[in-house]
């Protein structure tokens, strides 16, 4: 259990708990405001993230930034973004269950320090692990579920939207619902 972000980040940056440590360039800890009340959780770093050490910096990330901006959210200002695994799975394969099991402790500590009011799962990998094992993004996107006092919502992964742009309007609706929920439960987000 960590008392502060500095200690947590310091220890995490040296992590070799799973096999992904051997092939990473940079570990991708997370980005954002450490006082944010809204936490976004993706899957794991891709090639660009692995090189730069920041989540969602490739084409998918640019798209995510657009959706965020549409509802006045900004990764550097009023939210926090992390991933299920902090190191890149080779060839961008899905992170293995055992890799997720090793890594999730870091995410738990991040969540403990942040105490988010709202968690948004970006895509199937985080939604099935954190919301429910049978979560179907295409059916349940945009629905808020209260889990022990934290509101959880799953939406499309930006990479899925790049592959299937017809889903973009539905994704935008999810972000509009998110803004409404923020205004309800943590309006201070818009003062950060
Ligand atoms: N996809 C993710 O899920 N996370 C990233 O950080 C980049 C791409
Ligand atoms: Fe450690 Fe997670 Fe990286 Fe595996 S993916 S080495 S558990 S930080």
């Amino acid at each position: 259990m960590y008392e502060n972000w500095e200690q947590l980040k310091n220890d995490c940056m040296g992590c070799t708990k799973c096999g992904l440590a051997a092939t990473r360039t940079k570990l991708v800890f997370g980005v954002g405001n450490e006082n944010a009340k809204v936490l976004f959780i993706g899957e794991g770093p891709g090639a660009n993230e692995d090189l730069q050490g920041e989540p969602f910096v490739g084409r998918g990330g640019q798209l995510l930034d657009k959706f965020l901006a549409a509802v006045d959210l900004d990764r550097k200002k009023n939210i926090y973004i992390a991933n299920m695994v902090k190191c890149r799975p080779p060839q961008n394969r899905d992170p293995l269950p055992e890799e997720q099991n090793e890594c999730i402790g870091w995410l738990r500590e991040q969540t403990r320090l942040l105490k988010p009011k709202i968690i948004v799962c970006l895509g199937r990998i985080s939604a099935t692990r954190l919301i429910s094992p049978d979560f179907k993004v295409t059916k349940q996107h945009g629905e808020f579920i209260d889990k022990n006092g934290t509101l959880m919502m799953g939406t499309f992964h930006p990479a899925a939207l790049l592959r299937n742009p017809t889903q973009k309007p539905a994704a935008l609706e999810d972000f509009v619902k998110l803004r409404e929920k923020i205004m309800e439960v943590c309006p201070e987000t818009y003062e950060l």
Side-chain angles (χ1 to χ4, degrees):
M1 301 247 278
Y2 286 85
E3 301 300 319
N4 64 62
W5 284 93
E6 203 182 296
Q7 286 176 358
L8 172 61
K9 185 167 185 185
N10 217 29
D11 284 1
C12 181
M13 292 307 281
C15 180
T16 55
K17 285 198 281 185
C18 86
L20 298 178
T23 48
R24 74 180 175 228
T25 310
K26 286 190 175 169
L27 185 149
V28 179
F29 179 74
V31 68
N33 187 328
E34 291 164 356
N35 298 307
K37 289 292 150 211
V38 185
L39 170 62
F40 288 78
I41 304 177
E43 178 178 328
N48 295 294
E49 292 77 22
D50 176 69
L51 289 173
Q52 295 184 43
E54 183 173 327
F56 291 101
V57 291
R59 272 183 71 221
Q62 288 169 24
L63 182 60
L64 175 61
D65 282 337
K66 275 196 203 172
F67 281 103
L68 291 171
V71 294
D72 304 301
L73 297 175
D74 180 336
R75 68 166 70 203
K76 291 277 156 76
K77 197 172 157 215
N78 52 13
I79 59 169
Y80 196 90
I81 306 178
N83 281 310
M84 293 303 295
V85 295
K86 312 281 186 240
C87 306
R88 183 192 182 200
Q91 280 87 46
N92 299 343
R93 62 162 171 73
D94 288 354
L96 303 172
E98 55 264 39
E99 292 161 351
Q100 295 188 50
N101 291 344
E102 289 299 340
C103 208
I104 201 161
W106 297 120
L107 182 62
R108 279 206 195 101
E109 291 295 323
Q110 288 174 305
T111 309
R112 231 176 40 82
L113 289 178
L114 210 57
K115 299 182 188 69
K117 290 269 202 287
I118 298 175
I119 294 178
V120 179
C121 294
L122 295 168
R124 170 181 54 88
I125 295 285
S126 57
T128 53
R129 176 81 195 223
L130 303 176
I131 302 177
S132 78
D134 55 359
F135 191 91
K136 293 279 179 292
V137 175
T138 48
K139 281 195 185 155
Q140 290 165 275
H141 68 90
E143 292 175 11
F144 286 89
I145 299 158
D146 190 320
K147 271 204 151 184
N148 310 312
T150 307
L151 290 169
M152 312 276 302
M153 186 260 270
T155 188
F156 303 91
H157 192 283
L161 296 174
L162 290 175
R163 282 193 302 272
N164 194 353
T166 58
Q167 292 175 139
K168 283 184 188 177
L172 184 59
E173 279 179 35
D174 292 350
F175 279 79
V176 171
K177 284 182 195 154
L178 172 61
R179 170 162 55 192
E180 287 164 5
K181 197 57 85 179
I182 291 171
M183 291 309 291
E184 206 179 301
V185 302
C186 50
E188 65 270 31
T189 294
Y190 288 116
E191 264 120 61
L192 290 175

